[in-house]
Amino acid sequence: MECRELSGAIKPVESLPKFDRKVWLAATTILATEIGATIPDDVNIFIDETTKLPRSIDETAAFVGDLLNKQSEKEAAAA
C-alpha cells in the first residue's frame, strides 16, 4: 500500500482512506500522550464544531494549541 504524503493543508477526514471516528479517537489519544496534555473525550479535533467541516492538519494543530492555552488559563485562574 502506498503511503500518501501529508502536508498541513491535508484534511484527514476527507483525504485519508479509513480515517473514521475510531481512528480519530485513537489519533487524538496518541497526540495527547505525545504532547503530555489532556484533550477531552467529547472534543473532535478533526471537525470544526461550528461549521461541521473537516479541519486541515494545520487547522487541527492551531485548534489543539488554542484548546491547551484555554486549559492553562483556567488552571491559572483557579489557583
Side-chain angles (χ1 to χ4, degrees), residues 54-79:
R55 290 187 173 106
S56 68
I57 292 173
D58 285 346
E59 291 167 334
T60 299
F63 175 78
V64 170
D66 289 344
L67 180 69
L68 298 180
N69 286 336
K70 288 176 186 173
Q71 287 176 352
S72 292
E73 290 170 4
K74 281 184 181 178
E75 290 170 7

Side-chain angles (χ1 to χ4, degrees), residues 17-68:
K18 299 182 182 180
F19 196 84
D20 60 13
R21 180 166 275 289
K22 288 180 184 179
V23 175
W24 301 349
L25 293 171
T28 300
T29 300
I30 292 167
L31 174 62
T33 301
E34 288 295 318
I35 63 175
T38 300
I39 299 173
D41 291 336
D42 63 341
V43 174
N44 184 342
I45 64 173
F46 299 103
I47 300 286
D48 185 298
E49 190 173 302
T50 304
T51 65
K52 306 299 184 208
L53 296 173
R55 290 187 173 106
S56 68
I57 292 173
D58 285 346
E59 291 167 334
T60 299
F63 175 78
V64 170
D66 289 344
L67 180 69
L68 298 180

